Amino acid sequence: MEEGKMDENEWGYHGEGNKSLVVAHAQRCVVLRFLKFPPNRKKTSEEIFQHLQNIVDFGKNVMKEFLGENYVHCGEVVQLPLEFVKQLCLKIQSERPESRCDKDLDTLSGYAMCLPNLTRLQTYRFAEHRPILCVEIKPKCGFIPFSSDVTHEMKHKVCRYCMHQHLKVATGKWRQISRYCPLDLYSGNKQRMHFALKSLLQEAQNNLKIFKNGELIYGCKDARSPVADWSELAHHLKPFFFPSNGLASGPHCTRAVIRELVHVITRVLLSGSDKGRAGSLRAGLGPQGPRVCGASPFSRSLRCQGKNTPERSGLPKGCLLYKTLQVQMLDLLDIEGLYPLYNRVERYLEEFPEERKTLQIDGPYDEAFYQKLLDLSTEDDGTVAFALTKVQQYRVAMTAKDCSIMIALSPCLQDASSDQRPVVPSSRSRFAFSVSVLDLDLKPYESIPHQYKLDGKIVNYYSKTVCAKDNAVMSTRFKESEDCTLVLHKV
């Protein structure tokens, strides 16, 4: 970043999460990511620099190794003029969602991360003149726990996402339960993947966003967001998928455009050959446990028709979904088996607090840290070393469970034969595309107790409400059949 050329008017609000805020440059394909803090919590400039550097190092030395260098963009830590940061903060304040304004952008350190704008194709430094469509998907956890440490039988049948939906709706986080189930998307079965993606489009929550030329055109912020409007979305997408305008408007047109989008995303998700080292996990992390979630509406509808659910066609090993799932499955023990090991590490740190740095809990996230993650043994030898390895694996797995996949699509030009980028076809057009991953910050060590409590809360609520209701329905059916009379006829 060149100090003399930093102008806040060249940057615009792009989005924010719980811990950081992102602004995008109007012409160049770059974004700046700033940390956010509660008003009463200040960190030193050195602490903020180290925090950001840890994010960069973790992406470079761990997630890039697992997922492949073409998918992971680590960025770099940059120092900015404080006056530029203050003016930028004032400029974007009115665009921030009210629900996110409980934390302030860090304007004191001058440090930020400079990253590529993943809503653009990842080949050019400057924004292209051709239109760009970007779909952001947060797929969540793609497997049902297989650990013998699980005490709630329901967790062996229903996935975490589907159970959590009921608690989120009950607490007002979302308006209605999504029909999306991660196991359908991760199945590799096209029919199930199409259903999963359509479900995300119907009830996006914070699991799907669509950008057009870097601007958000489709997504959901909270329960107060308006109901998804497919016809408006189809209006945006129609020039991409039907450039010759061969479709009239109306419901048929909308369905055709949405169908094209779903098919193209599915093809992209199943593509890929970027080499990552997630394959080194394969021997110990083969598919285990049920491959179909008992709460998936897709599975339920087939069962009602007396059909078996097509379990999975299997994900190609080179695709990003496969690699992401492998990293997620570093959660070898589930939070129920992991929590006692976390307490073992905590007791050790209480006795030897100076060892925290040696244990690499707060970094450095280097090659040595990565190598320890490859130990897939689950035989507890009672040591702190074993407990620490499982805790670190769990943190990495949770990171993979919460990452986002960015798919950027751009219609191929007539002279695209010289274009070196991968291409995906649709019915009427062809798209150059790039796939990237973001939200790869390592989950905090301190969040483990919260995860343990939340897990119990989710399962207990689901068991008491949904399962109790299902049991009541079954009981009623049984009672209705109690008064029947059995008549025997001589044959």
Side-chain angles (χ1 to χ4, degrees):
M1 293 286 133
E2 298 174 51
E3 286 205 21
K5 296 184 179 179
M6 297 302 292
D7 179 357
E8 69 274 5
N9 295 310
E10 294 179 352
W11 299 83
Y13 178 83
H14 190 69
E16 63 187 291
N18 185 42
K19 296 179 180 177
S20 58
L21 181 148
V22 177
V23 295
H25 195 272
Q27 276 82 42
R28 296 173 60 201
C29 287
V30 293
V31 298
L32 292 172
R33 177 185 169 188
F34 295 90
L35 293 181
K36 297 179 354 183
F37 299 103
N40 59 348
R41 187 179 166 206
K42 301 299 179 191
K43 285 196 171 188
T44 67
S45 295
E46 291 75 18
E47 287 174 322
I48 288 172
F49 172 79
Q50 195 54 59
H51 185 132
L52 292 170
Q53 192 58 51
N54 278 344
I55 293 172
V56 172
D57 292 343
F58 179 71
K60 182 167 62 178
N61 298 320
V62 179
M63 298 313 285
K64 189 175 273 195
E65 290 293 326
F66 279 138
L67 302 179
E69 64 179 356
N70 289 346
Y71 296 128
V72 180
H73 305 275
C74 306
E76 61 179 338
V77 182
V78 294
Q79 190 165 21
L80 305 164
L82 291 179
E83 187 58 29
F84 162 75
V85 178
K86 287 173 186 171
Q87 293 303 319
L88 180 65
C89 183
L90 292 172
K91 177 179 181 284
I92 64 172
Q93 187 60 35
S94 61
E95 299 178 63
R96 297 180 62 192
E98 189 180 336
S99 60
R100 293 293 190 187
C101 289
D102 57 328
K103 293 182 180 178
D104 298 330
L105 183 147
D106 163 40
T107 58
L108 299 176
S109 74
Y111 288 113
M113 280 176 66
C114 183
L115 295 150
N117 186 341
L118 297 180
T119 64
R120 304 279 186 178
L121 285 179
Q122 292 313 301
T123 49
Y124 295 104
R125 284 183 59 203
F126 292 89
E128 295 184 73
H129 295 297
R130 67 173 108 174
I132 304 275
L133 187 68
C134 178
V135 181
E136 177 183 341
I137 299 170
K138 193 179 278 288
K140 305 302 282 189
C141 180
F143 71 97
I144 286 177
F146 46 82
S147 169
S148 58
D149 292 299
V150 169
T151 59
H152 299 278
E153 186 56 32
M154 188 54 58
K155 286 168 68 174
H156 285 311
K157 299 175 182 175
V158 178
C159 80
R160 163 72 172 254
Y161 181 88
C162 288
M163 280 197 275
H164 202 177
Q165 281 290 300
H166 292 268
L167 183 61
K168 285 183 174 181
V169 171
T171 54
K173 170 73 174 173
W174 301 117
R175 185 187 297 107
Q176 65 184 38
I177 289 168
S178 170
R179 292 167 62 80
Y180 170 71
C181 174
L183 269 71
D184 290 332
L185 187 68
Y186 282 96
S187 69
N189 177 283
K190 288 184 181 177
Q191 189 183 3
R192 288 176 68 184
M193 292 178 77
H194 291 168
F195 183 88
L197 291 167
K198 283 180 183 174
S199 299
L200 280 178
L201 285 162
Q202 286 170 334
E203 189 67 27
Q205 297 186 0
N206 63 345
N207 298 104
L208 182 134
K209 294 175 186 172
I210 300 177
F211 300 85
K212 182 179 177 182
N213 298 329
E215 296 291 324
L216 181 68
I217 60 168
Y218 195 78
C220 183
K221 291 177 182 174
D222 52 39
R224 291 169 293 183
S225 297
V227 177
D229 186 346
W230 274 18
S231 59
E232 185 181 340
L233 176 62
H235 175 74
H236 282 291
L237 300 182
K238 190 176 170 185
F240 286 89
F241 295 99
F242 296 95
S244 59
N245 200 28
L247 276 181
S249 58
H252 174 72
C253 167
T254 298
R255 285 195 299 270
V257 171
I258 297 297
R259 184 169 59 247
E260 287 294 312
L261 174 66
V262 165
H263 285 207
V264 166
I265 295 173
T266 301
R267 288 189 187 110
V268 171
L269 287 174
L270 292 174
S271 72
S273 58
D274 188 20
K275 300 291 185 289
R277 285 158 75 178
S280 58
L281 300 172
R282 179 66 185 155
L285 297 179
Q288 303 176 51
R291 301 175 189 181
V292 176
C293 171
S296 164
F298 181 87
S299 306
R300 285 188 165 192
S301 65
L302 285 184
R303 284 201 299 272
C304 290
Q305 298 169 38
K307 299 177 183 176
N308 292 326
T309 306
E311 284 211 345
R312 64 200 293 164
S313 303
L315 290 165
K317 292 184 182 180
C319 79
L320 182 56
L321 279 180
Y322 174 86
K323 295 175 183 179
T324 305
L325 183 60
Q326 292 295 298
V327 182
Q328 291 180 357
M329 291 173 76
L330 281 170
D331 178 8
L332 298 163
L333 305 175
D334 187 72
I335 187 64
E336 291 188 60
L338 190 280
Y339 192 59
L341 300 181
Y342 164 81
N343 287 330
R344 184 187 301 171
V345 176
E346 275 292 275
R347 287 192 297 271
Y348 179 77
L349 288 174
E350 284 173 14
E351 192 173 351
F352 307 104
E354 71 280 0
E355 288 292 297
R356 187 178 176 104
K357 189 171 183 180
T358 308
L359 299 185
Q360 291 184 277
I361 286 171
D362 307 306
Y365 304 124
D366 52 16
E367 175 68 15
F369 180 90
Y370 167 76
Q371 288 297 331
K372 290 172 187 172
L373 298 172
L374 303 180
D375 178 4
L376 304 180
S377 62
T378 54
E379 289 295 320
D380 186 358
D381 58 5
T383 63
V384 172
F386 173 84
L388 179 67
T389 297
K390 298 306 126 184
V391 165
Q392 303 289 45
Q393 286 174 334
Y394 175 80
R395 293 173 67 194
V396 174
M398 292 300 289
T399 302
K401 291 178 187 182
D402 206 34
C403 72
S404 293
I405 295 174
M406 306 287 280
I407 300 169
L409 302 161
S410 183
C412 287
L413 303 175
Q414 294 299 318
D415 60 348
S417 56
S418 60
D419 203 330
Q420 296 301 306
R421 289 170 295 187
V423 171
V424 61
S426 69
S427 296
R428 306 278 182 90
S429 56
R430 295 161 69 242
F431 296 93
F433 71 89
S434 64
V435 184
S436 309
V437 195
L438 79 166
D439 296 338
L440 289 177
D441 299 8
L442 179 61
K443 295 299 178 183
Y445 169 81
E446 288 76 16
S447 70
I448 291 175
H450 167 74
Q451 289 297 333
Y452 180 70
K453 289 173 190 169
L454 179 61
D455 184 74
K457 201 173 177 181
I458 290 168
V459 179
N460 289 335
Y461 183 83
Y462 187 83
S463 300
K464 286 177 184 174
T465 55
V466 181
C467 296
K469 190 163 60 177
D470 288 349
N471 290 339
V473 170
M474 292 300 294
S475 176
T476 304
R477 286 176 182 169
F478 182 72
K479 285 177 181 175
E480 286 172 353
S481 66
E482 278 183 342
D483 297 331
C484 66
T485 303
L486 181 66
V487 181
L488 301 177
H489 293 277
K490 189 181 290 184
V491 178

